[in-house]
Amino acid sequence: ELNILQTLLKKDNFAEYQKEMKKRGNNGGITILFYGKSGTGKNSIVNALAKSNEINILHADLSKLRDMYYGNTEKNIKSLFFDYEKINKESTNQTLLLLNECDALLGKRNLVIQERHDMSEAAISNVLLEMFEINSGIIIATTNLEQNLDPAFLRRFNFKIQVGHPNRKAVKSILKSKLDFLNDNEISRIADKYLLTGGQIENVSNKCIINRIITKSNPTV
């Protein structure tokens, strides 16, 4: 699926996809969900897809979209999507809209509206569903909590890709890249003993750099 996505998002291929979809009454956008445990590389995949196809990334700060005043969150969501559409119209390169930790906005709705809060959440969901429907670009969402997403949103994703733990071969490759002072035997020992994610290895790598700065030496295994 990643290979299909990488090829589809090439400039000419995506333009052809948009053209074909518009013939069928669709706006020509594509929506993609990456889900899986924290640190498994969801954002790294997004960055790799964007870099390989010369696509810009617009990061949406979902925490800033929510507003305490009734109706303002919906306005903020619409402004985000309209700004994104404007960026794509004015730029020669495609831009993708990245919704990190999307469960903050795409969570399951309370279908039995009992309070003003429920009405507000329902209104927010309706606006988001509308924005997904009229999307003509590339929306990529990530989450650690796929089970918390509303089924109505899950149906809107053209691709739903689970990103799991890297296998032993991948762990060894990441260790070699991030901890280049380790020899092959040490890398194999660590990869065999621990089920590590890319994010965990990144944290270890950062601490090794701090250790080297302070002690002027690399830590031992």
Side-chain angles (χ1 to χ4, degrees):
E1 285 186 310
L2 283 174
N3 287 334
I4 291 169
L5 259 182
Q6 186 173 22
T7 306
L8 176 63
L9 295 182
K10 291 185 183 302
K11 191 171 184 178
D12 291 344
N13 289 344
F14 188 63
E16 185 178 348
Y17 166 82
Q18 288 179 308
K19 184 179 177 181
E20 288 297 320
M21 294 304 289
K22 285 175 182 177
K23 282 181 186 177
R24 291 159 173 76
N26 188 293
N27 282 292
I30 190 166
T31 50
I32 303 153
L33 175 69
F34 290 114
Y35 66 97
K37 292 184 178 179
S38 177
T40 50
K42 297 181 291 295
N43 283 303
S44 295
I45 290 172
V46 176
N47 290 330
L49 282 172
K51 186 176 180 181
S52 66
N53 289 304
E54 298 182 343
I55 295 172
N56 301 318
I57 300 177
L58 175 62
H59 292 264
D61 188 343
L62 300 187
S63 65
K64 290 183 179 178
L65 293 180
R66 284 198 175 273
D67 194 286
M68 63 183 290
Y69 294 105
Y70 187 78
N72 280 3
T73 301
E74 296 94 295
K75 290 178 185 176
N76 292 341
I77 291 168
K78 285 184 177 180
S79 293
L80 168 67
F81 280 86
F82 291 151
D83 287 347
Y84 169 60
E85 186 180 357
K86 185 179 178 184
I87 288 169
N88 269 333
K89 283 182 178 177
E90 295 176 352
S91 175
T92 53
N93 280 5
Q94 185 72 38
T95 298
L96 69 83
L97 177 62
L98 178 60
L99 308 175
N100 259 332
E101 309 300 341
C102 66
D103 46 280
L105 277 180
L106 309 185
K108 290 179 180 176
R109 294 168 291 173
N110 182 2
L111 298 179
V112 181
I113 295 176
Q114 297 175 331
E115 301 175 1
R116 187 184 176 98
H117 170 75
D118 297 329
M119 291 177 61
S120 177
E121 290 300 309
I124 291 168
S125 294
N126 289 336
V127 168
L128 276 165
L129 288 168
E130 179 190 347
M131 294 297 103
F132 268 53
E133 287 292 335
I134 66 173
N135 167 52
S136 61
I138 304 164
I139 297 175
I140 299 184
T142 69
T143 182
N144 305 334
L145 302 168
E146 180 261 352
Q147 70 276 10
N148 288 354
L149 298 186
D150 193 287
F153 290 111
L154 284 173
R155 287 196 299 272
R156 263 56 175 197
F157 289 107
N158 305 110
F159 288 84
K160 294 186 279 286
I161 300 176
Q162 183 174 15
V163 184
H165 272 79
N167 60 25
R168 182 177 177 275
K169 183 180 178 182
V171 168
K172 288 176 69 175
S173 177
I174 300 169
L175 284 167
K176 195 162 189 173
S177 169
K178 294 292 183 181
L179 304 172
D180 55 4
F181 59 88
L182 297 177
N183 61 44
D184 288 344
N185 287 335
E186 291 170 330
I187 286 173
S188 293
R189 281 174 57 198
I190 294 170
D192 288 339
K193 190 171 182 180
Y194 301 103
L195 184 65
L196 297 170
T197 65
Q200 288 171 325
I201 296 171
E202 179 77 27
N203 285 339
V204 172
S205 173
N206 292 342
K207 289 177 181 176
C208 287
I209 291 170
I210 293 169
N211 188 87
R212 188 160 60 238
I213 291 169
I214 291 171
T215 68
K216 310 305 178 189
S217 64
N218 288 314
T220 65
V221 172

